Amino acid sequence: MAGDVPIARIDAASRRFGGVTAVDAVTLDICEGEFLCLLGPSGCGKTTLLRMLAGFEQPDSGRIYLDGEDVTGIPPHRRPVNMMFQSYALFPHMSVEKNIAFGLKQDGMPASDIAARVSDMIALARLEGLGARRPRQLSGGQRQRVALARALAKRPRVLLLDEPMAALDRKLREETQIELKSLQARLGLTFIVVTHDQVEAMTMADRIAVMENGRIAQVGSPREIYERPATLSVARFVGDATVFAGAAQSDANGGAEFLCEHPAMTLALDVARAGALQATHLAIRPENVRLFPWRPSDQPNVIQGQVTESLYRGDQRLTIVDAGGFRVRVAQSNATGADAETAPGATVWLSLPPDALIPLTS
C-alpha cells in the first residue's frame, strides 16, 4: 500500500492551449508506491496533466515536484519518470530485445548490464521466446507488454501510463488490469495511469482522481468514489445511478426526508449521512434498489412502477422500471431466477433503502 510521503506533487498547475484551459489550477499529491488513476471523460485534462508530470508539457502557472525537487522546466530525460504512451510507440524495425534496450543504450549503460536488464524485463513481462520478433509479429497484448518492459527497464521512480489498455479487447483488458496491479505491487513502484474506463480505474487503483473540465472533482479510494461521490457529476460518471432532484428537510420525528420533484413523492433519508439535510439531489446505485412482484409491507420508500426493459448481462439482469414517467434502474443477480417477475410489462414495486440513498448538494 502507498506510503505517506509524496513522491510527486502538482501544485496549482494550469495549462492553456490558446483560449482553452486544459488543466485549471490542479493541486495533487501522489504517494510513494501508490497506484493512482486519473479518471475522466475525453477532453477533461487528464492526459495533459500526465504529460506535465513527464515534462512533455510545461505549466503556464504552478509547479511540478518530484522527490521534493522542483522539476518545472526540466526536460523529460532528466526526470526520474518514464512514460508509456497509448500508441506504445515501439520501433517497428527493431526486435523486442532492442526495443527494450533502446533507452538503456541512450543512457550509456554497459552492454553486459543491458543484456542482463533486458533479460530480466523479458521474464518480468512474460515475453520469453519472443525477444527476436519485430512488433508486427506480436499480438496487441504482447506489444503492450513490450512497451511496459521498455518503460520499466530504466527503473523509473514513477511510471506514467496513458490509456495503456485502450487497444486491447475486453477479455485481454481485464486480464491485463490484474497483471498490471500485481506487477506494480511486486515492484513497489509508483504508477500513475490515465483512463476513461471506470471499471479499469476501480480494479487497479489505490486512489482515483476524477477529473472534470480541467479540475479535480474528487480524490479518494475506489470505494469512496463509488459509495460517497462528492458531486452529482461524479455520481453519474462513476458507475451507474438513478438520480432524483428535489430538496431535503427535517421530518416531524427529528429525522430527514427528501421531497422529490419528479416523480412527486417523499423519501425517508438516513440523517446520519453527511449532507442529508442539504441535499438537492439523491442518487442510488442499481444494485441497491430492491424489486418486488407485490407491494411489500415491511420495506421503506416503496414506489410502484412498470417494467419497460429487462436486459440480460450474464451475471446480472438490468431492469428499467417506469415509475410515473421516471426511469429507475435495478440490477439483480441472475442467481435469483427472477425472469418472470421482471418481464417487460409487469407491475412491480421498488424499495429505496434510506441508507443507500446518496445525498448530493451539487
Side-chain angles (χ1 to χ4, degrees):
M1 182 60 185
D4 297 325
V5 179
I7 192 172
R9 169 167 290 172
I10 303 163
D11 185 12
S14 295
R15 182 72 172 101
R16 291 174 288 277
F17 298 96
V20 177
T21 301
V23 174
D24 189 4
V26 166
T27 294
L28 179 66
D29 285 351
I30 299 100
C31 296
E32 186 165 8
E34 180 173 32
F35 199 125
L36 177 82
C37 279
L38 298 174
L39 174 67
S42 298
C44 70
K46 56 189 184 297
T47 293
T48 300
L49 190 62
L50 196 76
R51 289 175 64 84
M52 285 199 289
L53 279 167
F56 295 111
E57 298 285 352
Q58 293 301 320
D60 295 301
S61 59
R63 316 300 296 175
I64 305 293
Y65 298 90
L66 290 167
D67 265 345
E69 178 186 357
D70 187 346
V71 297
T72 313
I74 293 178
H77 67 276
R78 290 179 52 201
R79 299 189 183 196
V81 304
N82 213 341
M83 185 164 177
M84 178 178 159
F85 297 93
Q86 183 176 342
S87 65
Y88 304 153
L90 300 176
F91 298 109
H93 61 288
M94 291 185 182
S95 67
V96 167
E97 290 177 341
K98 289 181 178 178
N99 264 285
I100 297 172
F102 181 80
L104 305 177
K105 288 183 178 179
Q106 294 293 104
D107 289 347
M109 179 182 283
S112 59
D113 292 343
I114 289 176
R117 183 74 60 82
V118 169
S119 178
D120 288 344
M121 291 299 103
I122 283 178
L124 185 69
R126 297 186 297 109
L127 293 166
E128 293 92 340
L130 303 177
R133 292 191 186 182
R134 304 285 177 87
R136 67 175 182 273
Q137 298 172 305
L138 303 175
S139 69
Q142 290 167 340
R143 288 194 295 272
Q144 193 250 18
R145 295 205 300 273
V146 174
L148 181 60
R150 184 179 62 183
L152 289 171
K154 296 181 69 173
R155 295 181 178 172
R157 298 273 284 132
V158 180
L159 183 63
L160 310 174
L161 303 101
D162 184 14
E163 300 276 8
M165 285 162 274
L168 306 182
D169 62 60
R170 180 178 176 180
K171 183 67 175 177
L172 189 54
R173 281 172 73 102
E174 292 174 351
E175 293 173 356
T176 306
Q177 289 163 15
I178 296 169
E179 290 179 1
L180 194 61
K181 177 61 178 175
S182 176
L183 178 63
Q184 183 265 343
R186 292 203 312 272
L187 296 175
L189 295 178
T190 303
F191 279 23
I192 304 175
V193 177
V194 159
T195 182
H196 64 272
D197 187 313
Q198 306 131 40
V199 174
E200 187 168 287
M202 288 191 284
T203 299
M204 298 189 298
D206 297 319
R207 283 193 307 155
I208 298 171
V210 183
M211 292 196 66
E212 176 184 302
N213 298 323
R215 293 177 175 268
I216 292 180
Q218 186 176 358
V219 181
S221 69
R223 181 179 291 273
E224 289 169 342
I225 297 290
Y226 186 79
E227 296 183 1
R228 295 188 294 280
T231 67
L232 181 59
S233 59
V234 172
R236 283 177 163 154
F237 181 74
V238 179
D240 197 359
T242 297
V243 177
F244 302 90
Q249 63 181 22
S250 298
D251 65 19
N253 300 314
E257 60 186 14
F258 189 84
L259 307 179
C260 295
E261 294 175 359
H262 185 68
M265 61 181 179
T266 301
L267 297 174
L269 294 180
D270 181 357
V271 72
R273 292 202 67 146
L277 288 173
Q278 292 76 44
T280 58
H281 292 82
L282 292 180
I284 188 166
R285 302 297 186 187
E287 66 273 16
N288 292 328
V289 180
R290 299 170 186 166
L291 185 148
F292 299 87
W294 58 84
R295 183 179 184 87
S297 59
D298 59 347
Q299 296 294 316
N301 295 335
V302 175
I303 58 177
Q304 182 179 340
Q306 186 175 58
V307 175
T308 60
E309 296 177 72
S310 185
L311 308 175
Y312 181 80
R313 292 184 168 182
D315 60 335
Q316 281 191 336
R317 178 175 297 278
L318 179 66
T319 303
I320 312 298
V321 177
D322 184 323
F326 189 85
R327 292 161 64 88
V328 181
R329 302 166 74 85
V330 186
Q332 295 175 288
S333 169
N334 277 321
T336 62
D339 287 6
E341 299 172 4
T342 59
T347 297
V348 295
W349 285 262
L350 306 177
S351 172
L352 313 179
D355 59 358
L357 292 167
I358 305 167
L360 299 165
T361 57
S362 61

PDB file of all heavy atoms in Angstrom, residues 178-203:
ATOM      1  N   ILE A 178      -5.411  -6.941 -13.989  1.00  0.00           N
ATOM      2  CA  ILE A 178      -4.991  -7.714 -12.822  1.00  0.00           C
ATOM      3  C   ILE A 178      -3.474  -7.887 -12.823  1.00  0.00           C
ATOM      4  O   ILE A 178      -2.812  -7.729 -11.788  1.00  0.00           O
ATOM      5  CB  ILE A 178      -5.698  -9.081 -12.809  1.00  0.00           C
ATOM      6  CG1 ILE A 178      -7.213  -8.876 -12.664  1.00  0.00           C
ATOM      7  CG2 ILE A 178      -5.174  -9.959 -11.681  1.00  0.00           C
ATOM      8  CD1 ILE A 178      -8.034 -10.127 -12.897  1.00  0.00           C
ATOM      9  N   GLU A 179      -2.908  -8.181 -13.998  1.00  0.00           N
ATOM     10  CA  GLU A 179      -1.455  -8.362 -14.105  1.00  0.00           C
ATOM     11  C   GLU A 179      -0.711  -7.076 -13.768  1.00  0.00           C
ATOM     12  O   GLU A 179       0.315  -7.097 -13.078  1.00  0.00           O
ATOM     13  CB  GLU A 179      -1.082  -8.825 -15.513  1.00  0.00           C
ATOM     14  CG  GLU A 179      -1.516 -10.253 -15.833  1.00  0.00           C
ATOM     15  CD  GLU A 179      -1.136 -10.657 -17.245  1.00  0.00           C
ATOM     16  OE1 GLU A 179      -0.526  -9.835 -17.952  1.00  0.00           O
ATOM     17  OE2 GLU A 179      -1.466 -11.786 -17.634  1.00  0.00           O
ATOM     18  N   LEU A 180      -1.218  -5.950 -14.270  1.00  0.00           N
ATOM     19  CA  LEU A 180      -0.547  -4.679 -14.042  1.00  0.00           C
ATOM     20  C   LEU A 180      -0.564  -4.307 -12.564  1.00  0.00           C
ATOM     21  O   LEU A 180       0.440  -3.833 -12.018  1.00  0.00           O
ATOM     22  CB  LEU A 180      -1.221  -3.586 -14.882  1.00  0.00           C
ATOM     23  CG  LEU A 180      -0.476  -2.267 -15.034  1.00  0.00           C
ATOM     24  CD1 LEU A 180       0.861  -2.471 -15.712  1.00  0.00           C
ATOM     25  CD2 LEU A 180      -1.319  -1.273 -15.834  1.00  0.00           C
ATOM     26  N   LYS A 181      -1.699  -4.521 -11.905  1.00  0.00           N
ATOM     27  CA  LYS A 181      -1.775  -4.240 -10.479  1.00  0.00           C
ATOM     28  C   LYS A 181      -0.830  -5.138  -9.698  1.00  0.00           C
ATOM     29  O   LYS A 181      -0.134  -4.684  -8.777  1.00  0.00           O
ATOM     30  CB  LYS A 181      -3.217  -4.433 -10.001  1.00  0.00           C
ATOM     31  CG  LYS A 181      -3.423  -4.229  -8.502  1.00  0.00           C
ATOM     32  CD  LYS A 181      -3.069  -2.837  -8.076  1.00  0.00           C
ATOM     33  CE  LYS A 181      -3.327  -2.638  -6.582  1.00  0.00           C
ATOM     34  NZ  LYS A 181      -2.888  -1.311  -6.099  1.00  0.00           N
ATOM     35  N   SER A 182      -0.771  -6.416 -10.053  1.00  0.00           N
ATOM     36  CA  SER A 182       0.126  -7.355  -9.384  1.00  0.00           C
ATOM     37  C   SER A 182       1.584  -6.964  -9.597  1.00  0.00           C
ATOM     38  O   SER A 182       2.397  -7.004  -8.667  1.00  0.00           O
ATOM     39  CB  SER A 182      -0.134  -8.773  -9.902  1.00  0.00           C
ATOM     40  OG  SER A 182       0.777  -9.689  -9.349  1.00  0.00           O
ATOM     41  N   LEU A 183       1.916  -6.563 -10.818  1.00  0.00           N
ATOM     42  CA  LEU A 183       3.287  -6.159 -11.146  1.00  0.00           C
ATOM     43  C   LEU A 183       3.680  -4.919 -10.351  1.00  0.00           C
ATOM     44  O   LEU A 183       4.782  -4.847  -9.788  1.00  0.00           O
ATOM     45  CB  LEU A 183       3.396  -5.886 -12.643  1.00  0.00           C
ATOM     46  CG  LEU A 183       4.752  -5.412 -13.166  1.00  0.00           C
ATOM     47  CD1 LEU A 183       5.811  -6.482 -12.937  1.00  0.00           C
ATOM     48  CD2 LEU A 183       4.661  -5.066 -14.650  1.00  0.00           C
ATOM     49  N   GLN A 184       2.795  -3.959 -10.275  1.00  0.00           N
ATOM     50  CA  GLN A 184       3.096  -2.743  -9.526  1.00  0.00           C
ATOM     51  C   GLN A 184       3.340  -3.052  -8.059  1.00  0.00           C
ATOM     52  O   GLN A 184       4.249  -2.494  -7.430  1.00  0.00           O
ATOM     53  CB  GLN A 184       1.935  -1.758  -9.682  1.00  0.00           C
ATOM     54  CG  GLN A 184       2.154  -0.404  -9.014  1.00  0.00           C
ATOM     55  CD  GLN A 184       1.573  -0.317  -7.619  1.00  0.00           C
ATOM     56  OE1 GLN A 184       0.735  -1.146  -7.225  1.00  0.00           O
ATOM     57  NE2 GLN A 184       2.002   0.666  -6.846  1.00  0.00           N
ATOM     58  N   ALA A 185       2.534  -3.949  -7.491  1.00  0.00           N
ATOM     59  CA  ALA A 185       2.697  -4.316  -6.087  1.00  0.00           C
ATOM     60  C   ALA A 185       4.028  -5.028  -5.853  1.00  0.00           C
ATOM     61  O   ALA A 185       4.713  -4.775  -4.848  1.00  0.00           O
ATOM     62  CB  ALA A 185       1.527  -5.194  -5.644  1.00  0.00           C
ATOM     63  N   ARG A 186       4.420  -5.912  -6.791  1.00  0.00           N
ATOM     64  CA  ARG A 186       5.686  -6.631  -6.649  1.00  0.00           C
ATOM     65  C   ARG A 186       6.879  -5.691  -6.742  1.00  0.00           C
ATOM     66  O   ARG A 186       7.859  -5.831  -6.001  1.00  0.00           O
ATOM     67  CB  ARG A 186       5.814  -7.717  -7.724  1.00  0.00           C
ATOM     68  CG  ARG A 186       4.858  -8.870  -7.584  1.00  0.00           C
ATOM     69  CD  ARG A 186       5.359 -10.124  -8.276  1.00  0.00           C
ATOM     70  NE  ARG A 186       5.823  -9.904  -9.626  1.00  0.00           N
ATOM     71  CZ  ARG A 186       5.050  -9.951 -10.702  1.00  0.00           C
ATOM     72  NH1 ARG A 186       3.754 -10.175 -10.570  1.00  0.00           N
ATOM     73  NH2 ARG A 186       5.565  -9.779 -11.905  1.00  0.00           N
ATOM     74  N   LEU A 187       6.828  -4.730  -7.652  1.00  0.00           N
ATOM     75  CA  LEU A 187       7.951  -3.826  -7.852  1.00  0.00           C
ATOM     76  C   LEU A 187       7.989  -2.704  -6.820  1.00  0.00           C
ATOM     77  O   LEU A 187       9.049  -2.115  -6.582  1.00  0.00           O
ATOM     78  CB  LEU A 187       7.895  -3.222  -9.260  1.00  0.00           C
ATOM     79  CG  LEU A 187       8.047  -4.209 -10.423  1.00  0.00           C
ATOM     80  CD1 LEU A 187       7.848  -3.486 -11.746  1.00  0.00           C
ATOM     81  CD2 LEU A 187       9.417  -4.883 -10.384  1.00  0.00           C
ATOM     82  N   GLY A 188       6.848  -2.382  -6.248  1.00  0.00           N
ATOM     83  CA  GLY A 188       6.792  -1.298  -5.273  1.00  0.00           C
ATOM     84  C   GLY A 188       6.965   0.075  -5.879  1.00  0.00           C
ATOM     85  O   GLY A 188       7.313   1.029  -5.175  1.00  0.00           O
ATOM     86  N   LEU A 189       6.721   0.200  -7.176  1.00  0.00           N
ATOM     87  CA  LEU A 189       6.876   1.485  -7.858  1.00  0.00           C
ATOM     88  C   LEU A 189       5.586   2.305  -7.763  1.00  0.00           C
ATOM     89  O   LEU A 189       4.528   1.790  -7.418  1.00  0.00           O
ATOM     90  CB  LEU A 189       7.223   1.269  -9.329  1.00  0.00           C
ATOM     91  CG  LEU A 189       8.551   0.602  -9.651  1.00  0.00           C
ATOM     92  CD1 LEU A 189       8.700   0.425 -11.154  1.00  0.00           C
ATOM     93  CD2 LEU A 189       9.717   1.414  -9.090  1.00  0.00           C
ATOM     94  N   THR A 190       5.713   3.576  -8.096  1.00  0.00           N
ATOM     95  CA  THR A 190       4.558   4.454  -8.174  1.00  0.00           C
ATOM     96  C   THR A 190       4.051   4.454  -9.607  1.00  0.00           C
ATOM     97  O   THR A 190       4.795   4.765 -10.537  1.00  0.00           O
ATOM     98  CB  THR A 190       4.937   5.881  -7.754  1.00  0.00           C
ATOM     99  OG1 THR A 190       5.480   5.854  -6.428  1.00  0.00           O
ATOM    100  CG2 THR A 190       3.713   6.797  -7.782  1.00  0.00           C
ATOM    101  N   PHE A 191       2.798   4.081  -9.794  1.00  0.00           N
ATOM    102  CA  PHE A 191       2.172   4.071 -11.114  1.00  0.00           C
ATOM    103  C   PHE A 191       1.096   5.161 -11.139  1.00  0.00           C
ATOM    104  O   PHE A 191       0.268   5.245 -10.224  1.00  0.00           O
ATOM    105  CB  PHE A 191       1.487   2.726 -11.409  1.00  0.00           C
ATOM    106  CG  PHE A 191       2.404   1.629 -11.889  1.00  0.00           C
ATOM    107  CD1 PHE A 191       3.759   1.646 -11.621  1.00  0.00           C
ATOM    108  CD2 PHE A 191       1.891   0.561 -12.610  1.00  0.00           C
ATOM    109  CE1 PHE A 191       4.585   0.618 -12.060  1.00  0.00           C
ATOM    110  CE2 PHE A 191       2.702  -0.465 -13.056  1.00  0.00           C
ATOM    111  CZ  PHE A 191       4.064  -0.436 -12.781  1.00  0.00           C
ATOM    112  N   ILE A 192       1.101   5.964 -12.185  1.00  0.00           N
ATOM    113  CA  ILE A 192       0.032   6.939 -12.422  1.00  0.00           C
ATOM    114  C   ILE A 192      -0.544   6.628 -13.795  1.00  0.00           C
ATOM    115  O   ILE A 192       0.156   6.721 -14.808  1.00  0.00           O
ATOM    116  CB  ILE A 192       0.550   8.384 -12.357  1.00  0.00           C
ATOM    117  CG1 ILE A 192       1.242   8.639 -11.009  1.00  0.00           C
ATOM    118  CG2 ILE A 192      -0.601   9.364 -12.567  1.00  0.00           C
ATOM    119  CD1 ILE A 192       1.895  10.004 -10.903  1.00  0.00           C
ATOM    120  N   VAL A 193      -1.809   6.242 -13.823  1.00  0.00           N
ATOM    121  CA  VAL A 193      -2.444   5.762 -15.044  1.00  0.00           C
ATOM    122  C   VAL A 193      -3.594   6.682 -15.422  1.00  0.00           C
ATOM    123  O   VAL A 193      -4.423   7.039 -14.582  1.00  0.00           O
ATOM    124  CB  VAL A 193      -2.965   4.315 -14.867  1.00  0.00           C
ATOM    125  CG1 VAL A 193      -3.690   3.838 -16.111  1.00  0.00           C
ATOM    126  CG2 VAL A 193      -1.818   3.372 -14.545  1.00  0.00           C
ATOM    127  N   VAL A 194      -3.648   7.057 -16.698  1.00  0.00           N
ATOM    128  CA  VAL A 194      -4.775   7.798 -17.254  1.00  0.00           C
ATOM    129  C   VAL A 194      -5.743   6.802 -17.883  1.00  0.00           C
ATOM    130  O   VAL A 194      -5.331   5.904 -18.626  1.00  0.00           O
ATOM    131  CB  VAL A 194      -4.302   8.802 -18.323  1.00  0.00           C
ATOM    132  CG1 VAL A 194      -5.436   9.188 -19.262  1.00  0.00           C
ATOM    133  CG2 VAL A 194      -3.736  10.048 -17.669  1.00  0.00           C
ATOM    134  N   THR A 195      -7.029   6.935 -17.570  1.00  0.00           N
ATOM    135  CA  THR A 195      -8.037   6.082 -18.182  1.00  0.00           C
ATOM    136  C   THR A 195      -9.383   6.799 -18.176  1.00  0.00           C
ATOM    137  O   THR A 195      -9.621   7.688 -17.347  1.00  0.00           O
ATOM    138  CB  THR A 195      -8.163   4.730 -17.460  1.00  0.00           C
ATOM    139  OG1 THR A 195      -9.116   3.910 -18.121  1.00  0.00           O
ATOM    140  CG2 THR A 195      -8.592   4.906 -16.011  1.00  0.00           C
ATOM    141  N   HIS A 196     -10.259   6.430 -19.108  1.00  0.00           N
ATOM    142  CA  HIS A 196     -11.644   6.903 -19.079  1.00  0.00           C
ATOM    143  C   HIS A 196     -12.579   5.772 -18.665  1.00  0.00           C
ATOM    144  O   HIS A 196     -13.787   5.956 -18.597  1.00  0.00           O
ATOM    145  CB  HIS A 196     -12.063   7.425 -20.459  1.00  0.00           C
ATOM    146  CG  HIS A 196     -12.067   6.363 -21.520  1.00  0.00           C
ATOM    147  ND1 HIS A 196     -10.952   6.064 -22.260  1.00  0.00           N
ATOM    148  CD2 HIS A 196     -13.035   5.518 -21.937  1.00  0.00           C
ATOM    149  CE1 HIS A 196     -11.252   5.071 -23.094  1.00  0.00           C
ATOM    150  NE2 HIS A 196     -12.503   4.719 -22.916  1.00  0.00           N
ATOM    151  N   ASP A 197     -11.990   4.598 -18.369  1.00  0.00           N
ATOM    152  CA  ASP A 197     -12.759   3.399 -18.043  1.00  0.00           C
ATOM    153  C   ASP A 197     -12.898   3.291 -16.520  1.00  0.00           C
ATOM    154  O   ASP A 197     -11.924   3.058 -15.809  1.00  0.00           O
ATOM    155  CB  ASP A 197     -12.037   2.167 -18.606  1.00  0.00           C
ATOM    156  CG  ASP A 197     -12.850   0.886 -18.466  1.00  0.00           C
ATOM    157  OD1 ASP A 197     -13.388   0.643 -17.380  1.00  0.00           O
ATOM    158  OD2 ASP A 197     -12.925   0.129 -19.452  1.00  0.00           O
ATOM    159  N   GLN A 198     -14.133   3.451 -16.025  1.00  0.00           N
ATOM    160  CA  GLN A 198     -14.350   3.457 -14.577  1.00  0.00           C
ATOM    161  C   GLN A 198     -14.022   2.108 -13.934  1.00  0.00           C
ATOM    162  O   GLN A 198     -13.429   2.055 -12.858  1.00  0.00           O
ATOM    163  CB  GLN A 198     -15.798   3.815 -14.280  1.00  0.00           C
ATOM    164  CG  GLN A 198     -16.244   5.103 -14.908  1.00  0.00           C
ATOM    165  CD  GLN A 198     -17.553   4.934 -15.646  1.00  0.00           C
ATOM    166  OE1 GLN A 198     -18.443   4.244 -15.182  1.00  0.00           O
ATOM    167  NE2 GLN A 198     -17.696   5.569 -16.788  1.00  0.00           N
ATOM    168  N   VAL A 199     -14.406   1.017 -14.594  1.00  0.00           N
ATOM    169  CA  VAL A 199     -14.130  -0.318 -14.042  1.00  0.00           C
ATOM    170  C   VAL A 199     -12.629  -0.550 -13.978  1.00  0.00           C
ATOM    171  O   VAL A 199     -12.110  -1.100 -13.004  1.00  0.00           O
ATOM    172  CB  VAL A 199     -14.822  -1.408 -14.889  1.00  0.00           C
ATOM    173  CG1 VAL A 199     -14.423  -2.796 -14.398  1.00  0.00           C
ATOM    174  CG2 VAL A 199     -16.337  -1.247 -14.833  1.00  0.00           C
ATOM    175  N   GLU A 200     -11.933  -0.123 -15.007  1.00  0.00           N
ATOM    176  CA  GLU A 200     -10.480  -0.248 -15.026  1.00  0.00           C
ATOM    177  C   GLU A 200      -9.855   0.488 -13.852  1.00  0.00           C
ATOM    178  O   GLU A 200      -8.979  -0.045 -13.149  1.00  0.00           O
ATOM    179  CB  GLU A 200      -9.949   0.309 -16.343  1.00  0.00           C
ATOM    180  CG  GLU A 200      -8.467   0.099 -16.588  1.00  0.00           C
ATOM    181  CD  GLU A 200      -8.126   0.416 -18.044  1.00  0.00           C
ATOM    182  OE1 GLU A 200      -8.487  -0.381 -18.915  1.00  0.00           O
ATOM    183  OE2 GLU A 200      -7.512   1.472 -18.293  1.00  0.00           O
ATOM    184  N   ALA A 201     -10.292   1.720 -13.615  1.00  0.00           N
ATOM    185  CA  ALA A 201      -9.748   2.511 -12.509  1.00  0.00           C
ATOM    186  C   ALA A 201     -10.044   1.848 -11.166  1.00  0.00           C
ATOM    187  O   ALA A 201      -9.161   1.749 -10.300  1.00  0.00           O
ATOM    188  CB  ALA A 201     -10.326   3.923 -12.547  1.00  0.00           C
ATOM    189  N   MET A 202     -11.281   1.382 -10.970  1.00  0.00           N
ATOM    190  CA  MET A 202     -11.642   0.782  -9.686  1.00  0.00           C
ATOM    191  C   MET A 202     -10.948  -0.561  -9.464  1.00  0.00           C
ATOM    192  O   MET A 202     -10.692  -0.948  -8.332  1.00  0.00           O
ATOM    193  CB  MET A 202     -13.159   0.645  -9.582  1.00  0.00           C
ATOM    194  CG  MET A 202     -13.856   1.983  -9.377  1.00  0.00           C
ATOM    195  SD  MET A 202     -15.607   1.858  -8.950  1.00  0.00           S
ATOM    196  CE  MET A 202     -16.317   1.443 -10.536  1.00  0.00           C
ATOM    197  N   THR A 203     -10.636  -1.270 -10.554  1.00  0.00           N
ATOM    198  CA  THR A 203      -9.948  -2.554 -10.432  1.00  0.00           C
ATOM    199  C   THR A 203      -8.503  -2.368  -9.985  1.00  0.00           C
ATOM    200  O   THR A 203      -7.992  -3.136  -9.156  1.00  0.00           O
ATOM    201  CB  THR A 203      -9.967  -3.300 -11.782  1.00  0.00           C
ATOM    202  OG1 THR A 203     -11.318  -3.555 -12.155  1.00  0.00           O
ATOM    203  CG2 THR A 203      -9.208  -4.627 -11.695  1.00  0.00           C
TER     204      THR A 203
END
